[in-house]
């Protein structure tokens, strides 16, 4: 069985002819021979199989990464040399963007143009962090009391072997957000993609080899969380783990990392608030508000899933968002006219449906949507729920689907209190024409990223990450490189 994507001679076709993963520069089967199915969420049909690794495969990949690191195959190159390779990787991803987007669309279900956008973001990651590779340096310091003076300096060193675990919602982009800064820093990497969507991680692994990343420096081990993710996190030769996924699994990662107290960064769940003041031009904001929750069928960690609207404009805004939702075309990701694809899996479809039914049972009113579409593939209607309150599960828990919960507020203090009344703190937005109110509310919102009159903001230059249970650390921006570095202090006594 082979995945099929557009193009007469697909670049990555051979990668999926048999289930193999990337260990020590070689394409190998899992040691046990186990495989797992990859399902097209638009049809529910199996499109291919990938290797299902386990602890043995993880150990081989980690040891390969450690050897590469100790032999300084990558960390020993100059920053400019690493930059050159990362820039070539960006060029290769860009040159193969159409095929990568087709693969991503097939695997995740997302519309091809959206997948193309995410691949473009992956290119941006490699270009931006290529630029950082030769700008990593420490400081020089003059220290010591008058009678004992030292010349001292700090140097920045790659942390070592970095384990990387990513989810299924934007797989190539999520992998690039880790690989690019880690490689810029000089680390060796073991990447574990989601069992739901492993295809583009393998393709990017092959492009990194082609770009000139030495063997063993990037390894991609496919398989399940408990059998690949958990042993990777627990492995004593891994110096750092960067995890993106749910808060629940993030907590398991924290517990499993204690063996060698490896460094961790965690990009976890969200339940992001959008606060709309009464002075907005409703017709100008509803499409953006709808896009903030429904893009990628709500499967975006920063999705604006809680909407707080001033009472004066509540009905108008909610009806406006619902109208946009009703107008969205939902269908198979490869159809160029489609706005939203399916949810990623049957399990996730059940989960989203259960949340919506639970919300209705708790008293929520369905303004639009609320149901599965058809019985083939995992399609779900974009849904707006009103008459909800802060105690309901649909308001408190991350659904990670196309479900918006709308509540009115009377004054700004109430809106800020409700927006902050969550265990998460990933993103938020405030919508108003009043500049002072916008910045003062932005300051009060507990979130790693706040948009003003925009929710889906971003760019590789801007750090992203969470307050509270949305995670530890930051991706993107200079902060991301720091996550893969250690600081060493060296001092010399000057008086001898
Ligand atoms: P998940 O937590 O179920 O899985 C994420 C990854 O962890 C997968 O690769 C999975 O195989 C692996 N995993 C599972 N159990 C593991 C274990 N015990 N040890 C190690 N690894 C394990 O999340 P998901 O369903 O794949 O993705 C959706 C979640 O990801 C949502 O909560 C979403 O908010 C979050 N997310 C966060 C960000 C961010 O930047 N903060 C971005 C995208 C997605």
């Amino acid at each position: 069985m082979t995945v099929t994507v557009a193009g007469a001679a697909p670049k990555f076709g051979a990668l999926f002819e048999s289930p193999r993963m990337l260990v020590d520069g070689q394409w190998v089967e899992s040691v046990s021979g186990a495989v797992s199915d990859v399902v097209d969420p638009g049809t529910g049909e199996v499109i291919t199989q990938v290797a299902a690794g386990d602890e043995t495969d993880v150990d081989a990949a980690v040891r390969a990464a450690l050897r590469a690191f100790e032999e300084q195959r990558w960390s020993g190159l100059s920053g400019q040399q690493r930059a050159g390779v990362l820039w070539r990787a960006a060029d290769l991803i860009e040159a193969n963007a159409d095929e990568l987007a087709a693969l991503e669309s097939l695997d995740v279900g997302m519309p091809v143009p959206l997948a193309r956008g995410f691949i473009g973001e992956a290119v941006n990651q490699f270009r931006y962090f290529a630029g950082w590779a030769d700008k990593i340096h420490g400081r020089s310091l003059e220290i010591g009391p008058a009678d004992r003076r030292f010349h001292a300096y700090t140097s920045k060193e790659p942390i070592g072997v970095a384990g990387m675990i990513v989810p299924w919602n934007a797989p190539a982009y999520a992998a690039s957000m880790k690989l690019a800064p880690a490689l810029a820093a000089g680390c060796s990497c073991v990447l574990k993609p989601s069992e739901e969507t492993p295809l583009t991680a393998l393709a990017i692994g092959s492009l990194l080899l082609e770009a000139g990343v030495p063997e063993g420096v990037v390894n991609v081990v496919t398989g399940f969380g408990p059998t690949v993710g958990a042993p990777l996190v627990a492995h004593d030769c891994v110096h750092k783990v960067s995890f993106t996924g749910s808060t629940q699994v993030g907590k398991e990662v924290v517990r499993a990392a204690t063996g060698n107290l490896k460094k961790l960064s965690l990009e976890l769940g969200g339940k992001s608030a959008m606060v709309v003041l009464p002075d907005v031009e409703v017709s100008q904001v509803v499409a953006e508000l709808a896009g903030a929750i429904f893009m990628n069928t709500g499967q975006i960690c920063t999705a604006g899933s809680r909407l707080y609207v001033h009472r004066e404009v509540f009905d108008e805004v909610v009806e406006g968002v619902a109208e946009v939702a009703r107008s969205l075309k939902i269908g198979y990701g490869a159809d160029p006219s489609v706005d939203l694809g399916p949810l990623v899996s049957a399990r996730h479809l059940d989960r989203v449906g259960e949340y919506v039914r639970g919300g209705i049972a708790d008293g929520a009113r369905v303004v639009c949507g609320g149901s599965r579409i058809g019985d083939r593939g995992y399609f779900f209607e974009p849904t707006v729920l009103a008459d909800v309150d802060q105690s309901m599960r649909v308001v408190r828990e991350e659904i990670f689907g196309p479900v918006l919960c709308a509540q009115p507020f009377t004054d700004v203090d109430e809106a800020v209190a409700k927006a902050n009344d969550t265990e998460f703190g990933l993103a938020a937005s405030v919508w108003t024409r009043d500049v002072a109110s916008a910045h003062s509310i932005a300051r009060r919102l507990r979130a790693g990223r706040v948009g003003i009159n925009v929710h889906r903001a971003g760019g590789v230059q801007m750090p992203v990450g969470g307050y509270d249970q949305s995670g530890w650390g930051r991706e993107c921006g200079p902060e991301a490189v720091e996550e893969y570095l250690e600081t060493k202090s060296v001092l010399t006594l000057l008086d001898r």
Side-chain angles (χ1 to χ4, degrees):
M1 204 174 314
T2 328
V3 282
T4 48
V5 293
K11 168 126 181 143
F12 306 114
L15 270 186
F16 306 113
E17 274 167 11
S18 63
R20 290 170 304 156
M21 51 196 175
L22 179 59
V23 176
D24 209 5
Q26 308 303 313
W27 293 98
V28 296
E29 293 179 359
S30 60
V31 171
S32 71
V35 295
S36 68
D37 290 342
V38 181
V39 171
D40 174 354
T43 61
E45 284 163 17
V46 175
I47 44 177
T48 192
Q49 291 182 319
V50 294
D54 63 21
E55 201 172 347
T56 315
D57 305 287
V58 170
D59 186 59
V62 169
R63 289 189 188 283
L66 185 65
R67 258 192 322 276
F69 187 71
E70 287 174 348
E71 291 171 10
Q72 301 197 339
R73 283 180 221 161
W74 179 248
S75 60
L77 300 186
S78 71
Q80 286 204 337
Q81 286 171 311
R82 290 202 303 276
V85 175
L86 293 180
W87 197 271
R88 265 202 301 285
D91 286 347
L92 282 168
I93 295 171
E94 195 166 51
N96 292 285
D98 288 342
E99 193 176 330
L100 286 165
L103 266 183
E104 198 81 308
S105 168
L106 191 64
D107 208 359
V108 184
M110 65 173 71
V112 168
L114 180 62
R116 189 68 178 70
F118 279 127
I119 300 300
E121 291 299 329
V123 172
N124 290 342
Q125 291 285 325
F126 280 97
R127 293 235 167 90
Y128 176 81
F129 288 109
W132 271 110
D134 65 351
K135 296 168 193 69
I136 296 170
H137 39 67
R139 288 171 289 146
S140 74
L141 311 159
E142 293 299 325
I143 56 173
D147 58 335
R148 276 170 74 84
R149 290 194 311 114
F150 300 95
H151 167 65
Y153 60 88
T154 62
S155 66
K156 296 283 184 179
E157 296 178 358
I159 208 162
V161 175
M164 302 166 174
I165 299 174
V166 293
W168 43 259
N169 62 318
Y173 180 39
S176 304
M177 287 168 98
K178 300 188 188 306
L179 289 166
L183 290 170
C187 289
S188 294
C189 310
V190 179
L191 169 67
K192 180 225 167 303
S194 168
E195 55 274 29
E196 309 277 5
T197 58
L199 302 183
T200 49
L202 293 165
I204 287 177
S206 80
L207 293 179
L208 288 171
L209 277 184
E210 186 178 340
V213 173
E215 292 183 354
V217 172
V218 171
N219 304 271
V220 182
V221 182
T222 48
F224 294 87
T227 41
V228 174
L232 180 59
V233 176
H235 204 296
D236 279 347
C237 300
V238 173
H239 302 99
K240 189 231 157 70
V241 162
S242 176
F243 172 82
T244 301
S246 60
T247 295
Q248 187 197 345
V249 175
K251 288 179 184 179
E252 285 178 42
V253 166
V254 171
R255 286 189 283 270
T258 55
N260 68 345
L261 286 181
K262 56 178 62 67
K263 307 288 187 286
L264 288 180
S265 40
L266 305 170
E267 296 288 332
L268 307 178
K271 191 77 184 177
S272 300
M274 306 193 283
V275 175
V276 181
L277 302 196
D279 67 343
V280 291
E281 189 63 58
V282 173
S283 62
Q284 285 180 10
V285 300
V286 288
E288 278 280 329
L289 294 169
I293 175 64
F294 298 130
M295 185 177 98
N296 204 22
T297 318
Q299 303 167 120
I300 295 282
C301 54
T302 52
S305 51
R306 292 181 298 140
L307 177 65
Y308 298 100
V309 186
H310 194 279
R311 279 184 196 283
E312 275 176 30
V313 289
F314 181 78
D315 290 342
E316 209 185 335
V317 168
V318 170
E319 187 42 44
V321 172
E323 216 174 290
V324 176
R326 289 185 205 104
S327 74
L328 294 171
K329 183 167 176 194
I330 298 144
Y332 195 71
D335 174 348
S337 66
V338 148
D339 297 305
L340 302 182
L343 293 165
V344 76
S345 65
R347 195 166 61 102
H348 195 47
L349 176 70
D350 287 346
R351 187 172 176 273
V352 171
E354 268 164 34
Y355 266 112
V356 172
R357 286 190 293 278
I360 295 167
D362 288 343
R365 170 170 59 91
V366 178
V367 182
C368 69
S371 304
R372 181 181 184 181
I373 304 170
D375 56 7
R376 186 164 190 261
Y378 311 130
F379 297 93
F380 198 88
E381 292 174 315
T383 299
V384 177
L385 300 177
D387 299 348
V388 295
D389 67 51
Q390 290 293 115
S391 69
M392 292 183 186
R393 282 184 66 212
V394 280
V395 173
R396 302 213 72 78
E397 297 177 15
E398 182 183 49
I399 301 173
F400 215 56
V403 183
L404 177 67
C405 294
Q407 290 184 64
F409 66 84
T410 307
D411 63 47
V412 162
D413 288 348
E414 180 194 354
V416 170
K418 283 184 170 167
N420 286 342
D421 175 24
T422 168
E423 68 195 36
F424 300 109
L426 199 54
S429 54
V430 51
W431 303 72
T432 176
R433 287 185 287 183
D434 176 344
V435 176
S437 293
H439 288 287
S440 122
I441 293 172
R443 215 176 253 218
R444 294 171 67 191
L445 291 169
R446 283 191 62 79
R449 190 187 79 195
V450 180
I452 294 175
N453 295 323
V454 64
H455 191 90
R456 291 176 295 165
V460 61
Q461 303 84 354
M462 199 174 76
V464 288
Y467 282 30
D468 302 322
Q469 295 191 38
S470 286
W472 295 347
R474 293 292 180 270
E475 295 196 313
C476 298
E479 284 82 351
V481 188
E482 279 295 329
E483 300 281 351
Y484 296 95
L485 295 169
E486 287 281 17
T487 301
K488 179 176 282 174
S489 294
V490 180
L491 71 171
T492 320
L493 183 58
L494 289 180
D495 305 337
R496 274 197 196 139

